[in-house]
Amino acid sequence: MGSYDVSDESPERRFRTLFISDVHLGARGSQADLLLDFLRYHDADTIYLVGDIVDGWALKSSWNWPQSHNDLVQKLLRKARKGAKVVYIPGNHDEFLRNYYGTHFGGIDVVENTVHTGVDGKRYLVIHGDIFDLVVQNARWLAHLGDKAYDFAIQMNRFVNFFRRLFKVPYWSLSQWAKQKVKNAVNYIGAFEQALAAEARRHDADGVICGHIHYAVIRDEGGIRYMNCGDWVESCTALVEHDDGRFEIITWADHLQKPAAVPQVAARAA
């Protein structure tokens, strides 16, 4: 990554496209400060906000809006003013914005979903993905319960990683480990990926770019390129498209160091 002594006005790395999802501003687990730090060093011609940027569920139960959350909103608006194309695709946690499809505010377009065309002409459906989550659609009370359980796991994870940092041990994610190892979680992720790939086919697209399940990956699913942005609650990942058309997941997860770019993920853990 090189030197990190760069100004806020001249990011070190510029991409063709940047995809960010699941920031959950307003939730106590949101790591908005890390995303703000990431955006100081990275810029793009087009920025897609792929849902759950603001957490309306969390704000309804308990108001939490520290300065870092406000700074992040201002940072995104500033990028839009400076010429970046910014597209916001609401998710289930910021579903209140779904009443504003087709509107344009502060240089940001709000749409239900869109199709991104890559350098090579391939078409990618960009969608949050919650409409393919049966729990969210058919048992909202269970989704809210699961959301509380996830918040508890995040708090426990921070407690564990506090001691890991004391001993200079790398960050470890409890929920990411569970998603890779627990059979039901693996099955759920697999079903989600297949559903999104099928939706891409219905849109005559070559791939799909989504969020929602907080699990960043780039893989092929039945001939469809499936790419998930991840999240900024735990893994702190973004999906980027380089000027040569190459897609990559970048992880920015540790306060103690600025990690290098993570290579493309070929497949999820079985």
Side-chain angles (χ1 to χ4, degrees):
M1 294 277 293
S3 170
Y4 288 91
D5 186 18
V6 295
S7 74
D8 188 53
E9 302 303 320
S10 56
E12 181 177 307
R13 301 186 73 187
R14 187 175 187 90
F15 303 104
R16 182 173 186 261
T17 320
L18 173 61
F19 302 85
I20 297 167
S21 76
D22 297 274
V23 184
H24 291 273
L25 295 175
R28 297 189 184 281
S30 175
Q31 300 206 50
D33 54 339
L34 282 182
L35 178 53
L36 184 62
D37 186 54
F38 174 84
L39 291 174
R40 290 192 179 109
Y41 298 102
H42 302 83
D43 208 346
D45 299 326
T46 302
I47 300 173
Y48 290 99
L49 304 175
V50 194
D52 286 1
I53 304 303
V54 177
D55 195 326
W57 294 9
L59 289 172
K60 281 183 179 180
S61 62
S62 175
W63 184 262
N64 176 64
W65 197 268
Q67 186 60 43
S68 61
H69 293 200
N70 191 58
D71 291 344
L72 178 58
V73 172
Q74 293 301 317
K75 181 70 170 177
L76 291 169
L77 291 171
R78 189 157 59 248
K79 285 186 179 293
R81 288 197 301 270
K82 289 183 176 181
K85 178 182 178 182
V86 182
V87 180
Y88 195 140
I89 300 157
N92 52 307
H93 283 260
D94 46 16
E95 61 189 350
F96 59 91
L97 288 173
R98 289 175 169 170
N99 295 321
Y100 300 96
Y101 288 151
T103 61
H104 181 88
F105 65 93
I108 299 176
D109 294 309
V110 181
V111 300
E112 182 176 6
N113 58 62
T114 189
V115 172
H116 171 73
T117 303
V119 173
D120 56 4
K122 290 186 176 180
R123 302 170 71 252
Y124 298 91
L125 174 66
V126 186
I127 186 171
H128 181 63
D130 62 288
I131 62 173
F132 300 96
D133 186 336
L134 293 178
V135 172
V136 170
Q137 292 302 307
N138 300 320
R140 291 181 63 85
W141 66 271
L142 186 58
H144 282 272
L145 180 62
D147 199 52
K148 295 296 184 183
Y150 181 71
D151 288 344
F152 176 75
I154 294 298
Q155 295 303 317
M156 290 298 297
N157 205 66
R158 288 188 171 184
F159 177 76
V160 170
N161 279 289
F162 170 77
F163 289 99
R164 291 177 68 88
R165 285 195 297 272
L166 289 179
F167 293 98
K168 307 297 183 182
V169 179
Y171 178 87
W172 179 78
S173 169
L174 171 63
S175 73
Q176 294 297 315
W177 174 85
K179 287 175 183 178
Q180 294 178 20
K181 300 297 183 182
V182 177
K183 183 178 179 180
N184 286 345
V186 172
N187 290 342
Y188 167 78
I189 291 171
F192 182 82
E193 292 173 354
Q194 292 167 16
L196 267 293
E199 182 68 6
R201 291 190 191 93
R202 283 192 287 272
H203 282 76
D204 196 27
D206 301 287
V208 61
I209 297 169
C210 61
H212 185 57
I213 61 172
H214 296 203
Y215 190 65
V217 70
I218 299 175
R219 66 184 302 271
D220 289 326
E221 177 62 51
I224 296 291
R225 175 57 61 92
Y226 169 90
M227 294 183 277
N228 194 301
C229 309
D231 71 283
W232 288 87
V233 174
E234 200 171 357
S235 59
C236 297
T237 52
L239 176 70
V240 301
E241 180 191 22
H242 294 267
D243 287 334
D244 61 5
R246 178 171 52 92
F247 285 89
E248 179 181 36
I249 292 170
I250 295 179
T251 300
W252 202 257
D254 200 320
H255 287 83
L256 299 179
Q257 61 184 352
K258 299 293 190 300
V262 173
Q264 290 189 4
V265 180
R268 70 181 189 280

